[in-house]
Amino acid sequence: MPVLEPIAEKDLPLTRDLDLLAKVLADTIREQTGAATAERIDAIRELAFRYVQGDDPEAGRALARSLSSLDLDSTVALVRAFSYFSHLSNIAEDLHHNRRRRAHRMQGSAPQRGSISAAIEALVERNVKPQDILGLLGETLIAPVLTAHPTEVKRKTILDCHRAVAELLSERDRYAMTPEEEERNQAALERVLLTLWQTREIRTFKLTVQDEIENGSTYFRNTFLHEVPRLYLDLEDRLAELTGEAVTLPNFIHIGSWIGGDRDGNPFVTGEVLRYAVSRQSGIALDHYYQQLTKLENELSMSVRLVQVDQKLQDLAAQADHEGNRKGEEPYRLAVSYIRARVFATATQIGTFHHALHDVARAPVYQNASDLETDLDTVYNSLRSHGATKLAGGRLRRLLRCVSVFGFHLAPIDMRQNSGIHDRVMAELFDKAGLEDYLALDEHSRRKVLLRELASPRPLICPYVDYTAETQKEIDILHAAEAMQSKYGEAVLPNYIISNCESVSDILEVAVLMNEVGIVQLAPTVRCKINIIPLFEMIGDLRGCNQIMAELFAIPQWRQLLGARDLVQEVMLGYSDSNKDGGYLTSNWELYKAELNLVKVFEDAGFKMRLFHGRGGTVGRGGGPAYDAVRAQPPGSVNGQIRITEQGEVIAAKYADREVGRRNLEILIAATLEASYDTWPENFDPEERRRLMEGLSLRAYQAYRDLVFATPDFITYFREATLINEIPNLNIGSRPAARRNTNSIADLRAIPWVFSWSQCRLMLPGWYGFGTAIAEYLKDKGEEGVEVLRELYQSWPFFQVTISNMEMVLAKSDINIAARYAELVNDQDIARRIFGRIKDEWQRSVDAVRAITGHDELLGDNPMLARSLDNRLPYLDPLNHLQVELLKRLRGGDESEELRHAVHLTINGIAAGLRNSG
């Protein structure tokens, strides 16, 4: 770690918050556990700080003795204390980022990098006209997509407490408090931390999909329904200043969801669950509209004695229940009360609620969100007609945009299933219909029969045939999808993703299945009410995806279907499985190449490309700063079209706080705008860079595959030196940890694969193979090679982001702590052999990053992150040491519930300290 400078004045408020939280938590622990336990925790904390920050060997030895001598009760108390220190540090740091952004705005500083204002200024400086930006936004789609992938280890209850802590700290920061007010604030903070201390951190039950739907909806209620409309309105006003005329933007940013629609590997997602997900989301949207209309009704008190409303507003007001003429001269209140009544009627018909709305007068339901918009427009236009434009531009304008974006469905849900399931379903349908033996057909023959079925008026699914449970489940999903689209509109289920897509027939299979329920059809008219999206995940799939898409585009029938989708074809790229398959460097490079190749295929075919990036939270699954990641995409691959998954703990980190959520949405918009106009840097030779990267990737791939897939006993080392066997019992998601019950790395899901390496502080998926690649390259090129790599790092965003993300991962890793986990391997000959290779590669990778960046220490140019790590390592490192000791006891035969719970607490705490789970 770099030597940190003294705390700057601007960071003193962060230090103040951290000190306050530490004091309140320490007092809480003392009250709840007694003086002896509290003093023991304080002593260990002090030793940990001395060891980590001062590199004091004696403190390290004393720390090890103290940790090994703890009884189970004291261990649990210590783990909980250190975990909460990490959680509270995260909250304070997030608030400090908000504080610094506000300070910059108050001082009139230049727009911050990653903001929409900075992006627009940058484009204008590059001679992009404001009208061109408007034109691009008219064809733009930006969508962060929330998934239910199980990497969020914190319960919703705990997240609610964290939100309360953040609100209390913000209150102290933004208001000048009297001593009494400050005392009340601290007392409230003490109550929240006491609640946290007396609340079980780990779920005692496994999440259901319905639980995940409810958890995901929290971010809509708390952040998206409020901040997305404001974001649109602020951007419209900013562009209006530039163009000198009023601007109304189309809905180009949508918050998507996989929760309730992603059944790849999740047997619990059914047609019934899909219906529930849509209905529950609808309830949340309509509840929000109802509450906003209630407030709007109170605000719009204008009297006909003082203003002249237009005829349409009068007509709308006339349909309301006049409540005995009590509001007879206040037509806006009457009109809004009528709209509110209709929203309630609609909600009771199509929404699922956990909290009942207040009953209002009977009113006709809205058939669709557009009808609600029409009524709100009537109110809006009437206000403007008598000089009340300012009133129209407040809550009402935000509500109008909210309804326009979220409709009656809230979030578009993606459906996803594995291509192997489609194969088996198609084979059974063909068999029951007396057709060909589908699985015996080659690729050419499969395409032929699928296109035949796509054009045939004869149904393939028969309601009088008994199908296997697997096939019947898929049929139920299809019928649920059609019913939901009919009820809520196409926007509710706009996408169907095919995971493990390896051929054109994999794509055509979904078209045929959708044809069976009328979502897709070729005759008598062409209809395509859903985007059918191939997901290319493995290294081989990424290398061949351009050929698959070229062959798909050559099919006339597919070209017809795309004609019904505005000529837009979406392709999803998988970061997680490609990393597990080929290692960090090769995965990144193959993804980049795939994008370049797809750009050419789409240009040749005359179709518009939208890429969907399946990124996880950790670098090993494509994570890292979103702004840099989008800006690093190849020229021509964005063009205003991008979707990105938001997974696990990243969702809470980005969107639990409204201000942070707004900032992250801005980052996506800004990066997409800038990347849409990006070109190759000056003096940049793409082919030369390609040859260099191809060579580095090949070396890294060989090193990674040799360890993970070709080394005897590697799977034994992995299962015994990590927590892969303990993680499935953590109750952090509804999906199984593996696709099949085998002992194969290939069958293991990428999430627990990465999660396991993070816990033991190796972070292997984020760097392994890179050190060998660079060492072998420099062996050939010498000092000249170092200069080439440094120039590449300075001039090529892709290479810079690749290295920067790896540098962050390596900074969070700790090879000495990882060595302790190697002690868990029963056969120490295996441990020494495999860990020795990993340790050597880790050192090569660290040396390579330092050589390329020119930094003496990791994170040499990122002091903020370095300080953050420095603050949390004294809490994090002891948790790792305790985890090893607990695992030894657990695996030694002590399977008590108390011990197992303690292990799970360490997993929670380490995840909090790293701010990464999987």
Side-chain angles (χ1 to χ4, degrees):
M1 297 288 294
V3 177
L4 298 175
E5 299 296 327
I7 298 173
E9 184 177 353
K10 65 183 177 64
D11 292 327
L12 290 176
L14 171 61
T15 303
R16 178 200 66 204
D17 286 348
L18 289 171
D19 289 345
L20 172 65
L21 293 171
K23 178 183 182 304
V24 174
L25 181 60
D27 290 345
T28 301
I29 293 169
R30 182 173 295 274
E31 291 171 4
Q32 296 298 304
T33 65
T37 300
E39 287 169 6
R40 193 176 298 121
I41 291 172
D42 282 341
I44 290 174
R45 179 169 174 252
E46 183 179 345
L47 283 172
F49 267 92
R50 282 174 48 200
Y51 172 63
V52 171
Q53 296 185 337
D55 195 22
D56 181 347
E58 180 51 42
R61 287 188 285 270
L63 178 63
R65 288 194 297 270
S66 297
L67 292 175
S68 61
S69 65
L70 292 176
D71 58 37
L72 186 57
D73 288 343
S74 297
T75 296
V76 169
L78 178 67
V79 169
R80 298 188 73 216
F82 279 22
S83 296
Y84 280 130
F85 277 124
S86 294
H87 285 303
L88 296 173
S89 295
N90 293 342
I91 295 169
E93 287 177 2
D94 288 343
L95 288 176
H96 190 56
H97 293 322
N98 291 345
R99 180 187 293 125
R100 294 307 308 152
R101 282 193 289 273
R102 288 175 57 82
H104 282 296
R105 288 197 294 270
M106 291 167 66
Q107 293 168 7
S109 303
Q112 189 177 10
R113 181 176 181 266
S115 68
I116 292 175
S117 293
I120 291 175
E121 285 189 9
L123 293 178
V124 170
E125 287 177 5
R126 291 161 59 181
N127 298 319
V128 178
K129 296 181 175 61
Q131 291 296 339
D132 293 335
I133 298 174
L134 282 174
L136 175 66
L137 290 173
E139 299 180 352
T140 288
L141 188 146
I142 301 171
V145 181
L146 310 189
T147 80
H149 285 174
T151 65
E152 175 56 83
V153 295
K154 295 186 289 295
R155 296 174 58 195
K156 180 179 177 295
T157 301
I158 301 298
L159 290 171
D160 289 342
C161 288
H162 289 183
R163 190 175 297 110
V165 170
E167 289 170 357
L168 289 167
L169 287 180
S170 295
E171 188 178 273
R172 298 175 74 91
D173 194 47
R174 295 196 180 183
Y175 306 110
M177 289 186 171
T178 65
E180 293 81 9
E181 290 170 335
E182 194 167 308
E183 286 178 11
R184 284 198 295 271
N185 178 279
Q186 179 159 333
L189 193 59
E190 290 168 356
R191 287 193 293 271
V192 176
L193 293 195
L194 177 58
T195 301
L196 276 173
W197 190 258
Q198 293 188 346
T199 299
R200 186 180 175 102
E201 301 94 325
I202 307 298
R203 297 181 187 93
T204 57
F205 57 90
K206 190 171 182 63
L207 284 177
T208 67
V209 183
Q210 286 85 347
D211 292 325
E212 292 169 338
I213 291 166
E214 194 61 32
N215 291 345
S217 71
T218 301
Y219 302 101
F220 287 88
R221 287 195 299 267
N222 293 339
T223 298
F224 297 131
L225 283 164
H226 301 277
E227 291 304 322
V228 169
R230 294 179 187 276
L231 190 55
Y232 273 107
L233 271 49
D234 291 347
L235 182 53
E236 286 177 344
D237 293 343
R238 177 76 177 91
L239 290 170
E241 292 175 6
L242 285 175
T243 60
E245 56 189 45
V247 171
T248 301
L249 292 171
N251 296 325
F252 66 89
I253 183 164
H254 297 268
I255 315 300
S257 175
W258 277 12
I259 309 173
D262 176 18
R263 59 197 192 280
D264 176 23
N266 191 336
F268 307 110
V269 176
T270 63
E272 180 183 356
V273 166
L274 180 61
R275 287 183 172 91
Y276 175 81
V278 173
S279 178
R280 181 69 186 114
Q281 286 190 174
S282 177
I284 291 162
L286 288 161
D287 180 46
H288 178 76
Y289 304 157
Y290 183 90
Q291 304 303 335
Q292 292 301 305
L293 286 164
T294 301
K295 294 176 181 178
L296 192 63
E297 183 180 341
N298 292 331
E299 293 170 2
L300 299 183
S301 56
M302 288 68 72
S303 169
V304 291
R305 298 176 184 271
L306 300 173
V307 298
Q308 180 65 47
V309 302
D310 69 18
Q311 187 60 48
K312 286 186 177 181
L313 192 283
Q314 292 179 45
D315 294 342
L316 192 61
Q319 299 178 70
D321 178 354
H322 281 232
E323 302 180 28
N325 279 332
R326 188 164 63 86
K327 300 177 183 175
E329 70 170 49
E330 296 175 346
Y332 284 104
R333 282 183 165 170
L334 286 172
V336 173
S337 71
Y338 177 64
I339 296 171
R340 182 163 58 90
R342 293 194 68 184
V343 165
F344 177 80
T346 307
T348 57
Q349 184 180 88
I350 68 173
T352 296
F353 303 95
H354 286 179
H355 307 286
L357 297 175
H358 298 295
D359 200 358
V360 291
R362 292 171 180 260
V365 302
Y366 283 112
Q367 295 304 308
N368 52 58
S370 296
D371 291 345
L372 172 56
E373 283 186 75
T374 298
D375 281 353
L376 292 173
D377 269 326
T378 296
V379 180
Y380 183 84
N381 293 330
S382 181
L383 285 168
R384 296 187 63 184
S385 72
H386 56 72
T389 299
K390 289 181 180 178
L391 293 175
R395 186 184 305 278
L396 177 56
R397 186 181 172 203
R398 294 195 300 273
L399 179 57
L400 262 167
R401 175 60 76 168
C402 202
V403 174
S404 178
V405 172
F406 296 103
F408 288 169
H409 62 281
L410 188 69
I413 296 178
D414 288 2
M415 302 171 69
R416 186 173 76 133
Q417 183 56 287
N418 191 282
S419 62
I421 303 289
H422 298 146
D423 285 346
R424 294 197 294 272
V425 168
M426 198 60 60
E428 184 172 359
L429 293 178
F430 270 54
D431 177 60
K432 299 290 188 181
L435 301 174
E436 295 88 348
D437 181 353
Y438 183 77
L439 294 180
L441 300 177
D442 61 20
E443 172 65 13
H444 175 76
S445 299
R446 285 191 183 189
R447 295 183 194 181
K448 183 177 178 180
V449 298
L450 290 170
L451 290 171
R452 178 196 69 204
E453 293 303 315
L454 193 56
S456 173
R458 168 188 47 74
L460 190 56
I461 298 173
C462 178
Y464 307 109
V465 170
D466 290 330
Y467 297 103
T468 61
E470 180 179 70
T471 296
Q472 189 59 54
K473 179 184 172 186
E474 294 300 304
I475 292 172
D476 291 344
I477 286 274
L478 295 173
H479 286 298
E482 189 280 328
M484 294 301 94
Q485 281 200 345
S486 297
K487 189 172 184 178
Y488 297 90
E490 294 178 25
V492 69
L493 293 170
N495 304 304
Y496 193 113
I497 298 161
I498 308 157
S499 56
N500 194 35
C501 184
E502 298 176 327
S503 65
V504 170
S505 64
D506 287 341
I507 303 169
L508 294 178
E509 286 170 356
V510 174
V512 171
L513 292 172
M514 289 292 165
N515 178 63
E516 290 298 302
V517 291
I519 293 176
V520 170
Q521 69 175 39
L522 286 174
T525 58
V526 177
R527 175 192 298 163
C528 191
K529 297 164 61 178
I530 200 163
N531 298 313
I532 300 175
I533 304 165
L535 166 53
F536 301 109
E537 302 176 85
M538 309 300 278
I539 297 299
D541 300 334
L542 291 172
R543 290 171 177 169
C545 65
N546 59 319
Q547 183 63 35
I548 290 174
M549 297 311 297
E551 292 175 10
L552 182 68
F553 292 157
I555 297 173
Q557 295 93 325
W558 194 261
R559 298 180 69 88
Q560 286 180 276
L561 293 177
L562 286 186
R565 303 298 306 173
D566 296 324
L567 302 180
V568 176
Q569 171 71 57
E570 187 168 306
V571 174
M572 185 172 184
L573 302 175
Y575 288 65
S576 304
D577 282 296
S578 61
N579 180 291
K580 183 164 69 75
D581 187 30
Y584 175 70
L585 187 65
T586 298
S587 170
N588 278 271
W589 177 235
E590 292 297 340
L591 285 160
Y592 192 87
K593 281 197 306 179
E595 293 185 43
L596 284 173
N597 294 335
L598 287 170
V599 167
K600 185 174 188 314
V601 168
F602 274 75
E603 287 177 349
D604 292 344
F607 295 124
K608 303 171 191 173
M609 180 175 74
R610 180 188 304 132
L611 291 179
F612 186 7
H613 299 269
R615 305 171 75 226
T618 53
V619 168
R621 297 183 53 239
Y627 179 79
D628 294 327
V630 175
R631 290 297 314 276
Q633 300 304 305
S637 66
V638 178
N639 293 331
Q641 302 280 322
I642 193 166
R643 295 209 303 147
I644 298 178
T645 53
E646 303 282 22
Q647 302 185 18
E649 79 285 350
V650 168
I651 300 176
K654 286 186 174 182
Y655 302 116
D657 177 85
R658 282 190 193 177
E659 192 169 344
V660 173
R662 160 68 180 255
R663 168 66 177 163
N664 279 290
L665 292 175
E666 273 206 46
I667 284 171
L668 271 183
I669 296 171
T672 301
L673 286 174
E674 293 187 60
S676 297
Y677 289 96
D678 277 349
T679 58
W680 295 111
E682 288 186 25
N683 304 319
F684 189 89
D685 183 348
E687 193 54 42
E688 179 185 348
R689 302 295 190 265
R690 187 167 182 144
R691 286 193 299 270
L692 172 57
M693 280 303 306
E694 198 68 37
L696 293 175
S697 174
L698 178 61
R699 292 181 174 103
Y701 179 77
Q702 290 171 338
Y704 175 84
R705 295 284 300 189
D706 186 50
L707 173 74
V708 175
F709 293 99
T711 297
D713 301 318
F714 175 80
I715 189 68
T716 299
Y717 177 88
F718 171 64
R719 290 206 171 276
E720 296 181 9
T722 75
L723 286 89
I724 187 60
N725 295 323
E726 286 75 22
I727 287 171
N729 298 318
L730 197 54
N731 295 325
I732 58 175
S734 65
R735 293 201 314 176
R739 291 183 173 88
R740 287 181 288 274
N741 188 21
T742 70
N743 199 35
S744 166
I745 296 292
D747 289 330
L748 184 70
R749 291 195 176 280
I751 293 168
W753 164 256
V754 174
F755 199 162
S756 301
W757 291 114
S758 298
Q759 285 285 310
C760 70
R761 301 289 293 281
L762 263 178
M763 323 292 202
L764 182 142
W767 52 266
Y768 197 91
F770 180 76
T772 292
I774 298 300
E776 291 180 1
Y777 172 75
L778 295 181
K779 185 177 180 180
D780 294 338
K781 300 294 184 180
E783 193 60 34
E784 177 187 348
V786 174
E787 294 304 317
V788 169
L789 295 172
R790 285 185 177 176
E791 189 277 329
L792 211 60
Y793 176 73
Q794 295 295 328
S795 65
W796 192 8
F798 162 75
F799 195 67
Q800 187 177 76
V801 168
T802 301
I803 300 302
S804 295
N805 286 340
M806 189 178 355
E807 184 175 19
M808 176 186 67
V809 168
L810 289 168
K812 290 183 177 182
S813 67
D814 189 309
I815 202 67
N816 293 320
I817 289 177
R820 292 219 57 204
Y821 285 83
E823 296 171 7
L824 296 170
V825 179
N826 291 320
D827 187 333
Q828 281 296 294
D829 286 338
I830 292 175
R832 282 188 289 273
R833 178 161 37 87
I834 294 178
F835 181 72
R837 289 176 60 182
I838 293 173
K839 181 179 180 180
D840 290 344
E841 183 65 13
W842 178 87
Q843 189 61 59
R844 281 191 290 268
S845 297
V846 170
D847 293 343
V849 168
R850 287 174 177 167
I852 292 168
T853 61
H855 303 154
D856 292 333
E857 300 286 346
L858 296 174
L859 300 180
D861 63 347
N862 195 341
M864 185 169 65
L865 179 56
R867 183 178 297 280
S868 175
L869 282 174
D870 188 66
N871 285 336
R872 66 189 64 230
L873 285 177
Y875 304 118
L876 182 60
D877 290 358
L879 290 178
N880 281 114
H881 288 288
L882 283 173
Q883 189 177 79
V884 171
E885 294 301 321
L886 294 171
L887 285 171
K888 286 180 179 178
R889 292 169 58 181
L890 181 67
R891 295 175 182 181
D894 183 349
E895 296 188 359
S896 65
E897 174 59 28
E898 293 80 3
L899 180 59
R900 193 175 298 279
H901 179 61
V903 171
H904 288 168
L905 287 175
T906 63
I907 295 174
N908 187 309
I910 292 167
L914 292 171
R915 301 205 81 169
N916 294 104
S917 299

